[in-house]
Coordinates of all heavy atoms in Angstrom, one line a residue:
G51 N -12.0 -6.8 14.2 CA -11.9 -8.1 14.6 C -11.6 -9.1 13.5 O -10.7 -10.1 13.7
A52 N -11.9 -8.8 12.2 CA -11.7 -9.7 11.2 C -10.2 -9.8 10.8 O -9.7 -10.9 10.6 CB -12.4 -9.3 9.9
L53 N -9.5 -8.7 10.9 CA -8.0 -8.7 10.5 C -7.3 -9.4 11.8 O -6.3 -10.0 11.6 CB -7.5 -7.3 10.3 CG -8.1 -6.8 9.1 CD1 -7.6 -5.3 9.0 CD2 -7.5 -7.5 7.9
A54 N -7.7 -9.2 13.0 CA -7.0 -9.6 14.1 C -7.2 -11.2 14.2 O -6.3 -11.9 14.8 CB -7.5 -9.0 15.5
R55 N -8.3 -11.7 13.8 CA -8.5 -13.2 13.9 C -8.3 -14.0 12.6 O -8.6 -15.1 12.5 CB -10.0 -13.3 14.3 CG -10.3 -12.8 15.7 CD -11.7 -13.1 15.9 NE -12.0 -12.5 17.4 CZ -12.1 -11.3 17.8 NH1 -12.1 -10.3 16.9 NH2 -12.4 -10.9 18.9
S56 N -7.7 -13.4 11.6 CA -7.4 -14.0 10.3 C -6.1 -13.6 9.8 O -5.4 -12.8 10.4 CB -8.5 -13.8 9.3 OG -8.4 -12.5 8.8
S57 N -5.7 -14.3 8.6 CA -4.4 -13.9 8.0 C -4.8 -13.0 6.8 O -4.0 -12.7 6.0 CB -3.7 -15.1 7.4 OG -4.5 -15.9 6.7
A58 N -5.9 -12.4 6.8 CA -6.4 -11.4 5.7 C -5.6 -10.2 5.7 O -5.2 -9.8 6.8 CB -7.9 -11.1 5.9
V59 N -5.4 -9.6 4.6 CA -4.8 -8.3 4.5 C -5.7 -7.2 4.5 O -5.5 -6.0 4.9 CB -3.9 -8.3 3.2 CG1 -3.3 -6.9 2.9 CG2 -2.9 -9.4 3.1
W60 N -6.9 -7.5 4.0 CA -8.2 -6.5 4.0 C -9.4 -7.0 4.7 O -9.5 -8.2 4.7 CB -8.4 -6.1 2.5 CG -7.5 -5.3 1.9 CD1 -6.4 -5.7 1.1 CD2 -7.4 -3.9 1.9 NE1 -5.7 -4.6 0.6 CE2 -6.4 -3.5 1.1 CE3 -8.2 -2.9 2.4 CZ2 -6.1 -2.2 0.8 CZ3 -7.9 -1.6 2.2 CH2 -6.8 -1.2 1.4
S61 N -10.1 -6.1 5.3 CA -11.4 -6.5 5.8 C -12.4 -5.4 5.3 O -12.0 -4.3 5.0 CB -11.4 -6.6 7.3 OG -11.2 -5.3 7.9
L62 N -13.6 -5.8 5.1 CA -14.6 -4.9 4.6 C -15.9 -4.9 5.5 O -16.3 -6.0 5.9 CB -15.1 -5.3 3.2 CG -16.3 -4.8 2.7 CD1 -16.2 -3.3 2.4 CD2 -16.6 -5.5 1.3
A63 N -16.4 -3.8 5.9 CA -17.6 -3.8 6.6 C -18.6 -3.0 5.9 O -18.3 -1.9 5.2 CB -17.4 -3.0 8.0
I64 N -19.9 -3.4 5.8 CA -20.9 -2.7 5.0 C -22.2 -2.8 5.9 O -22.6 -3.9 6.4 CB -21.1 -3.5 3.7 CG1 -22.1 -2.7 2.8 CG2 -21.3 -4.9 3.7 CD1 -22.1 -3.0 1.4
T65 N -22.9 -1.8 5.9 CA -24.2 -1.7 6.6 C -25.1 -0.7 5.9 O -24.5 0.2 5.2 CB -24.1 -1.5 8.0 OG1 -25.4 -1.6 8.7 CG2 -23.6 -0.1 8.4
G66 N -26.4 -0.8 6.0 CA -27.2 0.2 5.5 C -28.6 -0.1 5.4 O -29.1 -1.1 6.0
I67 N -29.4 0.7 4.7 CA -30.9 0.6 4.6 C -31.3 0.3 3.1 O -31.2 1.2 2.3 CB -31.5 1.8 5.1 CG1 -31.0 2.1 6.5 CG2 -33.1 1.7 5.0 CD1 -31.4 3.6 7.0
A68 N -31.4 -0.9 2.8 CA -31.8 -1.4 1.4 C -33.3 -1.1 1.0 O -33.6 -1.1 -0.1 CB -31.3 -2.8 1.1
G69 N -34.1 -1.2 2.1 CA -35.5 -1.0 1.8 C -36.2 -2.4 1.7 O -35.6 -3.4 2.0
P70 N -37.5 -2.3 1.5 CA -38.3 -1.2 1.1 C -38.7 -0.2 2.2 O -38.8 0.9 2.1 CB -39.5 -1.7 0.5 CG -39.7 -3.1 1.2 CD -38.3 -3.6 1.5
G71 N -38.6 -0.7 3.4 CA -38.9 0.2 4.6 C -37.6 0.5 5.4 O -36.5 0.0 5.1
G72 N -37.7 1.1 6.5 CA -36.7 1.3 7.5 C -36.0 2.7 7.2 O -35.1 3.0 8.1
G73 N -36.2 3.4 6.2 CA -35.5 4.7 6.0 C -36.2 5.8 6.9 O -37.3 5.6 7.4
S74 N -35.5 6.8 7.0 CA -36.0 8.2 7.6 C -35.5 9.3 6.8 O -34.8 9.1 5.9 CB -35.4 8.0 9.1 OG -34.0 8.3 8.9
P75 N -36.0 10.5 7.2 CA -35.5 11.7 6.4 C -34.0 11.9 6.5 O -33.3 12.3 5.6 CB -36.2 12.8 7.0 CG -37.5 12.2 7.6 CD -37.2 10.8 8.0
R76 N -33.4 11.5 7.7 CA -32.0 11.6 7.8 C -31.2 10.5 7.3 O -30.1 10.7 6.7 CB -31.7 11.6 9.4 CG -30.3 11.9 9.7 CD -30.2 12.3 11.1 NE -28.7 12.5 11.4 CZ -28.0 11.9 12.3 NH1 -28.7 10.9 13.1 NH2 -26.7 12.0 12.5
K77 N -31.8 9.3 7.2 CA -31.2 8.1 6.6 C -32.2 7.5 5.7 O -32.9 6.4 6.0 CB -30.7 7.2 7.6 CG -29.5 7.6 8.5 CD -29.1 6.6 9.5 CE -28.2 7.2 10.5 NZ -28.0 6.2 11.6
P78 N -32.3 7.9 4.4 CA -33.3 7.3 3.4 C -32.9 6.0 2.9 O -31.7 5.6 3.1 CB -33.3 8.4 2.4 CG -32.0 9.0 2.4 CD -31.6 9.1 3.8
V79 N -33.9 5.2 2.6 CA -33.7 4.0 1.9 C -32.6 4.2 0.8 O -32.6 5.2 0.0 CB -34.9 3.4 1.2 CG1 -34.7 2.2 0.4 CG2 -35.9 3.0 2.4
G80 N -31.7 3.3 0.7 CA -30.6 3.4 -0.3 C -29.3 4.0 0.3 O -28.2 4.0 -0.3
T81 N -29.3 4.4 1.6 CA -28.1 4.8 2.4 C -27.3 3.6 2.7 O -27.8 2.7 3.5 CB -28.4 5.7 3.6 OG1 -29.3 6.8 3.2 CG2 -27.3 6.1 4.3
V82 N -26.1 3.5 2.4 CA -25.2 2.4 2.6 C -23.8 3.0 3.1 O -23.2 3.8 2.4 CB -25.0 1.4 1.5 CG1 -24.1 0.3 1.8 CG2 -26.3 0.9 0.9
C83 N -23.3 2.4 4.2 CA -21.9 2.8 4.8 C -21.0 1.7 4.5 O -21.3 0.4 4.7 CB -22.1 3.2 6.1 SG -23.2 4.3 6.6
F84 N -19.8 2.1 4.1 CA -18.8 1.1 3.9 C -17.5 1.5 4.7 O -17.2 2.6 4.9 CB -18.3 1.2 2.5 CG -19.4 1.0 1.4 CD1 -20.1 2.1 1.1 CD2 -19.6 -0.3 1.0 CE1 -21.2 1.9 0.1 CE2 -20.7 -0.4 0.1 CZ -21.5 0.6 -0.3
A85 N -16.6 0.5 5.1 CA -15.4 0.7 5.7 C -14.5 -0.4 5.2 O -14.8 -1.5 5.1 CB -15.4 0.7 7.2
W86 N -13.2 0.1 4.8 CA -12.2 -0.8 4.2 C -11.1 -0.6 5.2 O -10.6 0.5 5.3 CB -11.7 -0.5 2.9 CG -12.8 -0.6 1.8 CD1 -13.1 -1.7 1.0 CD2 -13.7 0.4 1.4 NE1 -14.1 -1.4 0.2 CE2 -14.5 0.0 0.4 CE3 -14.0 1.8 1.7 CZ2 -15.6 0.6 -0.2 CZ3 -14.9 2.4 1.2 CH2 -15.7 1.9 0.1
A87 N -10.5 -1.8 5.8 CA -9.4 -1.6 6.7 C -8.3 -2.6 6.1 O -8.6 -3.7 5.7 CB -9.8 -2.1 8.1
R88 N -7.0 -2.1 6.4 CA -5.8 -2.9 6.0 C -5.2 -3.4 7.2 O -5.3 -2.9 8.3 CB -4.9 -1.9 5.3 CG -5.1 -1.5 3.9 CD -4.1 -0.9 3.3 NE -3.2 0.1 4.1 CZ -3.4 1.4 4.0 NH1 -4.2 2.0 3.1 NH2 -2.7 2.3 4.7
Q89 N -4.5 -4.5 7.0 CA -3.7 -5.2 8.2 C -2.7 -4.2 8.8 O -2.5 -4.3 9.9 CB -3.1 -6.4 7.7 CG -2.5 -7.3 8.7 CD -2.1 -8.6 8.1 OE1 -1.3 -8.5 7.2 NE2 -2.5 -9.7 8.6
D90 N -2.2 -3.3 7.9 CA -1.3 -2.4 8.5 C -1.8 -1.2 9.3 O -1.0 -0.3 9.7 CB -0.3 -1.9 7.5 CG -1.0 -1.0 6.5 OD1 -2.2 -0.6 6.7 OD2 -0.3 -0.6 5.4
G91 N -3.1 -1.1 9.5 CA -3.8 -0.1 10.2 C -4.5 0.9 9.6 O -5.2 1.7 10.2
G92 N -4.4 0.9 8.3 CA -5.1 2.0 7.6 C -6.6 1.7 7.3 O -7.1 0.5 7.3
C93 N -7.4 2.7 7.5 CA -8.9 2.5 7.4 C -9.6 3.6 6.6 O -9.2 4.8 6.9 CB -9.5 2.3 8.8 SG -11.3 1.9 8.8
V94 N -10.5 3.4 5.9 CA -11.3 4.3 5.0 C -12.7 4.1 5.2 O -13.1 2.9 5.1 CB -10.9 4.4 3.6 CG1 -11.7 5.4 2.8 CG2 -9.4 4.7 3.3
A95 N -13.6 5.0 5.5 CA -15.0 4.9 5.6 C -15.7 5.8 4.5 O -15.3 6.9 4.4 CB -15.5 5.2 7.0
E96 N -16.9 5.4 4.0 CA -17.6 6.2 3.1 C -19.1 5.9 3.2 O -19.5 4.7 3.6 CB -17.2 5.9 1.6 CG -15.8 6.4 1.2 CD -15.6 6.0 -0.2 OE1 -16.5 5.9 -1.0 OE2 -14.3 5.9 -0.6
T97 N -19.9 6.8 3.0 CA -21.4 6.6 2.9 C -21.9 7.1 1.7 O -21.5 8.1 1.1 CB -22.0 7.4 4.1 OG1 -21.6 7.1 5.3 CG2 -23.5 7.3 4.0
C98 N -22.7 6.2 1.0 CA -23.2 6.5 -0.3 C -24.8 6.4 -0.3 O -25.3 5.7 0.6 CB -22.7 5.4 -1.4 SG -21.0 5.5 -1.6
H99 N -25.4 6.9 -1.3 CA -26.9 6.6 -1.5 C -27.1 6.1 -2.9 O -26.7 6.6 -3.9 CB -27.6 8.0 -1.3 CG -29.0 7.9 -1.5 ND1 -29.8 7.4 -0.3 CD2 -29.9 8.0 -2.5 CE1 -31.0 7.3 -0.8 NE2 -31.1 7.7 -2.1
F100 N -27.7 5.0 -2.9 CA -28.1 4.2 -4.1 C -29.6 4.3 -4.4 O -30.4 4.2 -3.5 CB -27.7 2.8 -4.1 CG -26.2 2.6 -3.9 CD1 -25.7 2.1 -2.7 CD2 -25.2 3.1 -4.8 CE1 -24.3 2.0 -2.5 CE2 -23.9 2.9 -4.6 CZ -23.4 2.4 -3.5
E101 N -30.0 4.4 -5.7 CA -31.4 4.4 -6.0 C -31.9 3.1 -6.4 O -31.1 2.3 -6.9 CB -31.6 5.4 -7.1 CG -31.2 6.9 -6.8 CD -32.1 7.5 -5.8 OE1 -33.4 7.2 -5.8 OE2 -31.7 8.4 -5.1
G102 N -33.1 2.9 -6.4 CA -33.7 1.6 -6.7 C -34.4 0.8 -5.7 O -34.3 1.0 -4.5
A103 N -34.9 -0.4 -6.2 CA -35.6 -1.3 -5.3 C -34.5 -2.0 -4.4 O -33.3 -1.9 -4.7 CB -36.4 -2.3 -6.0
R104 N -34.9 -2.8 -3.4 CA -34.0 -3.5 -2.5 C -32.9 -4.3 -3.2 O -31.8 -4.1 -3.0 CB -34.8 -4.4 -1.6 CG -33.9 -5.1 -0.5 CD -34.9 -6.0 0.3 NE -34.0 -6.7 1.2 CZ -33.6 -6.3 2.4 NH1 -33.7 -5.0 2.8 NH2 -32.8 -7.1 3.2
A105 N -33.2 -5.1 -4.1 CA -32.3 -5.9 -4.8 C -31.3 -5.1 -5.6 O -30.1 -5.4 -5.6 CB -32.9 -6.9 -5.7
V106 N -31.7 -4.0 -6.2 CA -30.9 -3.1 -6.9 C -29.8 -2.4 -5.9 O -28.7 -2.3 -6.3 CB -31.7 -2.1 -7.8 CG1 -30.8 -1.1 -8.5 CG2 -32.6 -2.8 -8.7
V107 N -30.5 -1.9 -4.9 CA -29.5 -1.2 -3.9 C -28.4 -2.2 -3.4 O -27.3 -1.9 -3.3 CB -30.4 -0.7 -2.6 CG1 -29.5 -0.2 -1.5 CG2 -31.3 0.5 -3.1
R108 N -28.9 -3.5 -3.1 CA -27.9 -4.4 -2.6 C -26.8 -4.7 -3.7 O -25.6 -4.8 -3.3 CB -28.5 -5.7 -2.2 CG -29.4 -5.4 -0.9 CD -30.2 -6.7 -0.5 NE -29.2 -7.6 0.0 CZ -29.5 -8.9 0.4 NH1 -30.8 -9.3 0.5 NH2 -28.7 -9.6 0.9
L109 N -27.3 -4.9 -4.9 CA -26.3 -5.3 -6.0 C -25.2 -4.0 -6.1 O -24.1 -4.2 -6.3 CB -27.0 -5.4 -7.3 CG -26.2 -5.8 -8.4 CD1 -25.4 -7.2 -8.3 CD2 -27.1 -6.0 -9.7
Q110 N -25.8 -2.8 -6.1 CA -24.9 -1.6 -6.3 C -23.9 -1.6 -5.1 O -22.8 -1.2 -5.3 CB -25.7 -0.4 -6.3 CG -26.5 -0.3 -7.7 CD -27.3 1.0 -7.6 OE1 -27.0 2.1 -8.0 NE2 -28.6 0.8 -7.1
A111 N -24.5 -1.9 -3.9 CA -23.6 -1.8 -2.7 C -22.5 -2.9 -2.8 O -21.3 -2.6 -2.5 CB -24.4 -2.1 -1.5
V112 N -22.8 -4.1 -3.2 CA -21.8 -5.1 -3.3 C -20.7 -4.7 -4.3 O -19.6 -4.8 -4.2 CB -22.4 -6.4 -3.7 CG1 -21.4 -7.4 -4.1 CG2 -23.2 -7.1 -2.6
W113 N -21.2 -4.3 -5.5 CA -20.3 -3.7 -6.6 C -19.4 -2.7 -6.0 O -18.1 -2.7 -6.2 CB -21.0 -3.2 -7.8 CG -20.1 -2.8 -8.9 CD1 -19.6 -3.7 -9.9 CD2 -19.6 -1.6 -9.1 NE1 -18.7 -3.0 -10.7 CE2 -18.7 -1.6 -10.2 CE3 -19.7 -0.3 -8.5 CZ2 -17.9 -0.6 -10.7 CZ3 -19.0 0.8 -9.0 CH2 -18.2 0.6 -10.1
Y114 N -19.9 -1.7 -5.3 CA -19.2 -0.5 -4.9 C -18.0 -1.1 -3.8 O -17.0 -0.7 -3.8 CB -20.1 0.5 -4.2 CG -19.4 1.8 -3.9 CD1 -19.3 2.7 -4.9 CD2 -18.9 2.0 -2.6 CE1 -18.7 4.0 -4.6 CE2 -18.3 3.2 -2.3 CZ -18.2 4.2 -3.3 OH -17.5 5.3 -3.0
A115 N -18.5 -2.0 -2.9 CA -17.7 -2.5 -1.9 C -16.4 -3.2 -2.5 O -15.3 -3.0 -2.2 CB -18.3 -3.4 -1.0
L116 N -16.6 -4.1 -3.5 CA -15.6 -4.8 -4.2 C -14.8 -3.9 -5.0 O -13.5 -4.1 -5.0 CB -16.2 -6.0 -5.0 CG -16.8 -7.0 -4.1 CD1 -17.6 -8.0 -5.1 CD2 -16.0 -7.8 -3.3
Q117 N -15.3 -3.0 -5.7 CA -14.6 -1.9 -6.4 C -13.6 -1.1 -5.5 O -12.5 -0.9 -5.8 CB -15.5 -0.9 -7.1 CG -14.8 0.0 -8.1 CD -14.2 -0.7 -9.3 OE1 -14.8 -1.6 -9.8 NE2 -13.1 -0.1 -9.7
G118 N -14.1 -0.9 -4.2 CA -13.3 -0.2 -3.3 C -12.1 -1.0 -2.9 O -11.0 -0.4 -2.7
I119 N -12.2 -2.3 -2.8 CA -11.0 -3.0 -2.4 C -10.1 -3.0 -3.6 O -8.9 -2.9 -3.6 CB -11.5 -4.5 -2.0 CG1 -12.0 -4.5 -0.6 CG2 -10.2 -5.4 -2.0 CD1 -12.6 -5.8 -0.2
R120 N -10.6 -3.3 -4.8 CA -9.8 -3.3 -6.1 C -9.0 -2.0 -6.2 O -7.8 -2.0 -6.6 CB -10.7 -3.5 -7.3 CG -9.9 -3.9 -8.5 CD -10.7 -4.0 -9.7 NE -10.6 -2.8 -10.5 CZ -11.1 -2.5 -11.7 NH1 -12.0 -3.5 -12.0 NH2 -11.0 -1.4 -12.2
D121 N -9.7 -0.9 -6.0 CA -9.0 0.4 -6.1 C -7.9 0.7 -5.1 O -7.1 1.5 -5.3 CB -10.0 1.6 -5.9 CG -11.0 1.6 -7.1 OD1 -10.8 0.9 -8.1 OD2 -12.1 2.3 -6.9
R122 N -8.0 -0.1 -4.0 CA -6.9 0.2 -2.9 C -5.8 -0.8 -3.1 O -4.8 -0.8 -2.3 CB -7.7 0.0 -1.6 CG -8.5 1.2 -1.3 CD -9.5 1.1 -0.2 NE -10.2 2.3 0.1 CZ -11.2 2.8 -0.6 NH1 -11.7 2.1 -1.6 NH2 -11.8 3.9 -0.3
L123 N -6.0 -1.8 -3.9 CA -4.8 -2.7 -4.0 C -3.6 -2.1 -4.8 O -3.9 -1.2 -5.6 CB -5.3 -4.0 -5.0 CG -6.3 -4.9 -4.3 CD1 -6.8 -6.0 -5.2 CD2 -5.8 -5.5 -3.0
P124 N -2.4 -2.6 -4.4 CA -1.2 -1.9 -5.1 C -1.1 -2.3 -6.6 O -1.7 -3.1 -7.1 CB -0.1 -2.4 -4.4 CG -0.6 -3.7 -3.6 CD -2.1 -3.6 -3.4

């Protein structure tokens, strides 16, 4: 929806479990899912696990998401 409703070339989706609660054996705290989509239709999704307290998990997730866009730029 972000690409369809804007003039952006890239969109980013991020969701996960930063903690301190909410984790499960299947999806422990620190599990974060990312998706990067291009206006031309390309899309890549990844799931990562980060260690640390809530603020640390969030910081690592933001860094990873932005690095993912940077890595995909021409």
Side-chain angles (χ1 to χ4, degrees):
L53 292 174
R55 292 176 178 83
S56 73
S57 60
V59 176
W60 284 94
S61 69
L62 166 67
I64 183 171
T65 188
I67 305 164
S74 68
R76 189 165 175 237
K77 294 180 190 170
V79 169
T81 303
V82 183
C83 302
F84 304 88
W86 299 268
R88 287 190 317 255
Q89 193 175 48
D90 67 5
C93 186
V94 176
E96 295 180 21
T97 299
C98 296
H99 182 78
F100 301 110
E101 298 291 331
R104 179 179 177 84
V106 175
V107 169
R108 292 179 69 180
L109 183 63
Q110 291 175 89
V112 168
W113 182 89
Y114 192 85
L116 295 175
Q117 185 71 33
I119 289 178
R120 191 183 103 177
D121 291 347
R122 289 165 175 82
L123 294 176

